[in-house]
Amino acid sequence: MLFLILSILCSVTVGIIFKISRNYTVNIKQIISWNYIFALLLCYTSFSPDLKAIDSTAPWNIYIPLGILLPAVFLILAMSIKQMGIVKTDAAQRLSLFIPILAAWLLFEEEFNKLKIIAFFIALAALLLILSKREENANNKWIYPALVLLGFGIIDVLFKQISLYTSLPYTSSLFIIFCIAMTLMALVITYEVVFKKTKLKAVNFIFGGLVGVFNFGNILFYLKAHKAFSDNPSTVFAAMNMGVIILGSLAGIFLFKEKLSKRNYLGLFLALIAIVLIVLSQIYN
């Protein structure tokens, strides 16, 4: 559970950093690019991955989609916030929980007991209540939050598959994925600097570095949690999303003075119940 808690803390911190960055004139693409540079350096210095062990037998069919999806979903997330608002976008991101849960049942052949089924229904109600807010926005471009939901769901499933691949250390796999993501974003930034005359700014470097540190921690501890709960991937999927929602809501209340409705508070209470049931289902499985 320690790895899961650390992953939740890192994930929420990334969200807080992005929220603070909105008070400055930043370039989200540059922040994402610096994020992967820092994450790549941390991965290399912390674990010294054996690059010689990486060959054609490595699961490139998973590495490449993940390396592309990670930065792409970050960019789509920013577009969704701009077009549909942060509330609808956050709802889409957290509801992506149900894609890996479905995968745990259909792909990973995990058995669901009654407690887990009840917990997931309560979790769905909690998500809807927590994220129910008025958000005035005339644009109905649902393609963006739909892609956010689909993207984060697929990423969760792919990381689960990486954690099950034992022929190569997962830290080496993480290094490869960061390399692909960094290369992709470097090409994007190079295009903008050369052809669109976009300037590189120090503020993007600072925010990118902070995001990189906690993004690295989030993914690393998330993979470790999947290894610890290898027989019950849905436990990680559900607890991670519920934990992020609860801690993120608390951060919004106390750090950013966001107002929550009675529905939101009821949702937080139901989320706690869902987490307790998920833990109990793990114990009595």
Side-chain angles (χ1 to χ4, degrees):
M1 290 301 292
L2 175 62
F3 293 136
L4 198 52
I5 293 171
L6 290 173
S7 181
I8 291 169
L9 287 172
C10 288
S11 178
V12 172
T13 302
V14 168
I16 291 172
I17 294 169
F18 271 120
K19 187 152 188 172
I20 293 174
S21 72
R22 289 161 56 196
N23 298 323
Y24 301 84
T25 304
V26 297
N27 183 312
I28 191 67
K29 293 177 184 176
Q30 289 186 25
I31 290 177
I32 294 172
S33 298
W34 286 117
N35 147 66
Y36 285 116
I37 291 174
F38 273 82
L40 190 65
L41 290 173
L42 280 171
C43 186
Y44 185 79
T45 56
S46 298
F47 304 107
S48 299
D50 185 8
L51 301 182
K52 293 181 181 179
I54 302 169
D55 54 26
S56 58
T57 61
W60 291 98
N61 61 322
I62 303 176
Y63 292 159
I64 294 174
L66 263 176
I68 295 172
L69 274 174
L70 283 174
V73 172
F74 259 133
L75 292 173
I76 294 170
L77 189 72
M79 292 171 65
S80 182
I81 290 172
K82 181 179 179 180
Q83 296 292 337
M84 296 297 294
I86 194 168
V87 173
K88 293 184 177 71
T89 300
D90 192 37
Q93 181 182 350
R94 297 310 165 198
L95 284 171
S96 68
L97 159 72
F98 294 95
I99 292 177
I101 285 178
L102 189 62
W105 179 40
L106 297 176
L107 299 181
F108 306 128
E109 299 180 352
E110 179 182 341
E111 294 184 3
F112 279 25
N113 56 32
K114 291 181 180 179
L115 277 177
K116 191 165 290 185
I117 293 172
I118 293 171
F120 290 146
F121 278 111
I122 293 176
L124 176 59
L127 281 167
L128 296 175
L129 288 170
I130 290 171
L131 300 172
S132 63
K133 289 184 179 181
R134 287 185 177 181
E135 187 73 14
E136 295 181 1
N137 196 316
N139 298 321
N140 289 315
K141 300 181 179 179
W142 284 99
I143 185 64
Y144 296 112
L147 288 174
V148 167
L149 186 152
L150 184 63
F152 275 102
I154 294 173
I155 285 171
D156 274 349
V157 174
L158 291 176
F159 268 124
K160 168 59 184 173
Q161 290 180 304
I162 289 292
S163 70
L164 296 176
Y165 186 79
T166 57
S167 299
L168 192 68
Y170 64 87
T171 49
S172 297
S173 296
L174 196 59
F175 182 82
I176 299 170
I177 294 166
F178 283 151
C179 278
I180 297 171
M182 184 195 70
T183 301
L184 178 63
M185 289 309 302
L187 291 173
V188 172
I189 296 302
T190 300
Y191 172 80
E192 289 198 341
V193 170
V194 174
F195 295 100
K196 294 187 176 182
K197 307 303 179 183
T198 303
K199 293 183 179 179
L200 298 174
K201 295 184 178 180
V203 65
N204 298 317
F205 172 80
I206 295 170
F207 279 112
L210 290 172
V211 171
V213 170
F214 289 100
N215 188 32
F216 170 75
N218 173 33
I219 295 174
L220 174 65
F221 293 127
Y222 187 67
L223 285 174
K224 284 180 174 287
H226 265 304
K227 279 191 171 291
F229 292 93
S230 59
D231 294 330
N232 286 276
S234 63
T235 299
V236 179
F237 293 145
M240 178 68 185
N241 281 272
M242 292 295 102
V244 167
I245 287 175
I246 293 173
L247 192 58
S249 297
L250 292 175
I253 295 169
F254 295 107
L255 295 180
F256 301 105
K257 308 301 180 183
E258 294 181 358
K259 294 181 179 179
L260 296 181
S261 66
K262 291 181 180 179
R263 286 185 178 183
N264 299 149
Y265 284 112
L266 177 59
L268 289 173
F269 178 71
L270 289 178
L272 285 171
I273 293 176
I275 291 175
V276 171
L277 290 177
I278 290 168
V279 174
L280 289 176
S281 73
Q282 171 73 18
I283 296 173
Y284 297 109
N285 192 16

